[in-house]
Amino acid sequence: MSGVNGRPLGRRTFVLGSAAAAGTAALTGPLATTAAAASFGWSDDGSNYVVDTGASLVFKVSKTNGDLTSLVYKGTEYQGYGGKNSHVESGLGTSTVTIAQSGTTILISVAYGTLKHYYAARSGENNVYLWTNKADSSVSATRYIVRVKAGLFLNDEPDSYTYAPTVIESADVFEKSDGQTRAKHYSKLRVMDYDYIGWTTGSVGLWIVRSNHEKASGGPFYRSLLRHQSADGGGLYEILYYGENQTESERYGLQGPYVIALTDGGAPSSALYPGTLTTSWADSLGISGYVAASGRGKVAGVGISGRNTAYAYTVGLANSAAQYWGSARASDGYFSIGGVLPGTYTLTVFKGELAVYTTSVTVTAGGTTTLNTITVPSSNDPGNASAIWRINNWDGTPGGFKNADLMTYAHPSDVRAASWTGNVVIGSGTETSAFPCYLWKDVNSGIIVYFRLTAAQAAAAHTLRIGVTTAYANGRPQVVVNDTWTSAVPSPPTQPSTRSLTVGSYRGNNHTFTYSVPASAWLTDTSAYNTLKIYVASGSGTTSFLSAGTSIDAIDLLA
């Protein structure tokens, strides 16, 4: 099905096991009210505003700095580990905090310099709705973190963040005694893959339902912090801006709502999910930067032709102010993206994660921009080119290569990783699975691909292509054919300057390197194997897995 408001329809990703029915049923608003709503209201205990939702949830917000200082559900306190509150970034400091009630809604407003943050409660709901408006760069605000007391939820995720005895990188990547690695960066999931994150005991669930990320950066395939657990407690994140392997500039403005949801153990109500949540009740609350549904528009596409139906296609919208995305329908490529702020956007069609088409669209408030069938030119998809041989498929990811799946939730040194070295023989049937997803100057530079050519093929020049998805420290491939022909060192494409390959992210800027190999480089003996050696060129980086490196999408020799 198509995607709406940045959420692929039909997607229900449960981060901790399978979910039971949502703890509260959906009605005309986000959630049903309960019989206990008669107790709905707020009070002032001197230090905090205390909000009783009239259901099973009571929470407190500091009148001094806007921290969430208490989160009591059915009589149990869930807030706090290590003496820390839940808050924007690591706490805003002294702020102006006010509270107001409008019918069945209570809104707490926090002002810290140019930053505005909000908490809202609805009568009879076990939810806290949050918005954060970061207007400019004057305030450091990259996340909201819900800090959960230790011991309330089982730390049973096999790759959840646990403090291990050995720090192996940058004070935030750890190795356990069994050789497995842990880091808060290892989320496994792209933004488009989840609606919420959290934990459940079976009788109590604590979740953050993400916003539509219209003011975040990185697009639908971006991976960022989601949660961590350790001996002293756990953290759930809504990321406002994450810098690791980031391909876009920071966007400013109102992000939200995102929701802290407490349930009877099941998943949060689907009525809270991005693209489903309706917040007409918030239209008149005076939230800075808030744009109601009536002030937004929609983009709908009749279909996409020229697709390779073996792949999922995603359509993204992006400009400097906002980003959105939706899934293209498998049968015909139809897509619909709603809740879009007015403006002109670059529309990108992705095959897998590889951009194969771009155009410009303009969205108006209350309007629908309807696009006729988009035709992706055959030449835009590198997978359509005729090749003598090809390693992996062109889809913008290293998926299928050796260790590719593991690298989204483990460090390359992890004991579970297969050897990063080893050569590849074309025709063996294991070309892709034997080729490492990442190449580093100090680890496996110089890997060899063996292949044979017919007499006719060896008599002609050919183009070699190497597609990459990101790079660290300007790492890029230089090739040597049969130890006689060496390519020039290519110029490095624009890539993020932060860590990437060691923090669970292969998603940078896709780029294709091309090498024109002359006929004189090939062996004329058709029974002999030609050799292609792929080196990593760069004067940057340090050693081992922090030496210059790159992630591979596909490699082929064109006919």
Side-chain angles (χ1 to χ4, degrees), residues 1 302-304 307 309 311 328-334:
M1 297 180 70
V302 171
I304 303 171
R307 293 174 298 121
T309 56
Y311 296 88
R329 191 160 61 194
S331 60
D332 57 8
Y334 168 84

Side-chain angles (χ1 to χ4, degrees), residues 127-337:
N127 304 312
V128 184
Y129 298 85
L130 302 94
W131 290 262
T132 305
N133 187 341
K134 183 178 181 182
D136 51 45
S137 62
S138 63
V139 179
S140 176
T142 62
R143 66 185 182 181
Y144 188 92
I145 179 170
V146 179
R147 301 186 187 272
V148 183
K149 290 175 65 175
L152 296 176
F153 297 99
L154 180 65
N155 188 7
D156 61 351
E157 280 292 281
D159 293 289
S160 59
Y161 178 35
T162 53
Y163 290 104
T166 305
V167 177
I168 61 173
E169 184 179 303
S170 193
D172 60 6
V173 182
F174 305 88
E175 184 179 71
K176 297 173 63 179
S177 58
D178 62 3
Q180 292 191 12
T181 54
R182 299 288 190 269
K184 62 184 179 182
H185 308 286
Y186 300 148
S187 66
K188 299 184 183 180
L189 301 175
R190 306 170 301 177
V191 175
M192 67 179 292
D193 294 331
Y194 73 95
D195 293 313
Y196 60 88
I197 47 140
W199 300 290
T200 180
T201 65
S203 59
V204 174
L206 174 56
W207 318 93
I208 278 191
V209 184
R210 71 166 175 87
S211 71
N212 67 355
H213 278 222
E214 70 181 1
K215 294 296 183 178
S217 300
F221 314 121
Y222 192 67
R223 286 179 168 85
S224 64
L225 303 185
L226 294 183
R227 64 181 176 186
H228 73 260
Q229 262 183 298
S230 58
D232 56 357
L236 301 178
Y237 295 89
E238 167 73 351
I239 292 299
L240 308 175
Y241 179 77
Y242 188 56
E244 292 287 0
N245 210 30
Q246 180 59 253
T247 58
E248 295 183 299
S249 299
E250 184 172 9
R251 293 182 171 93
Y252 299 112
L254 185 69
Q255 184 158 306
Y258 48 103
V259 187
I260 303 171
L262 281 297
T263 72
D264 59 5
S269 168
S270 60
L272 297 174
Y273 294 173
T276 302
L277 176 60
T278 57
T279 56
S280 55
W281 49 267
D283 290 358
S284 60
L285 295 180
I287 295 172
S288 175
Y290 182 90
V291 179
S294 60
R296 296 169 177 269
K298 179 179 180 180
V299 176
V302 171
I304 303 171
S305 67
R307 293 174 298 121
N308 182 331
T309 56
Y311 296 88
Y313 280 69
T314 301
V315 179
L317 303 176
N319 62 20
S320 61
Q323 62 171 8
Y324 307 90
W325 58 84
S327 297
R329 191 160 61 194
S331 60
D332 57 8
Y334 168 84
F335 62 91
S336 178
I337 305 172

Side-chain angles (χ1 to χ4, degrees), residues 20 72 115 130 206 226 235 287 340 386 397 403 420 447 455 457 496 507:
V72 175
L115 185 139
L130 302 94
L206 174 56
L226 294 183
I287 295 172
V340 180
S386 178
T397 83
N403 294 327
W420 287 104
I447 193 168
Q457 292 166 344
R507 179 71 190 169

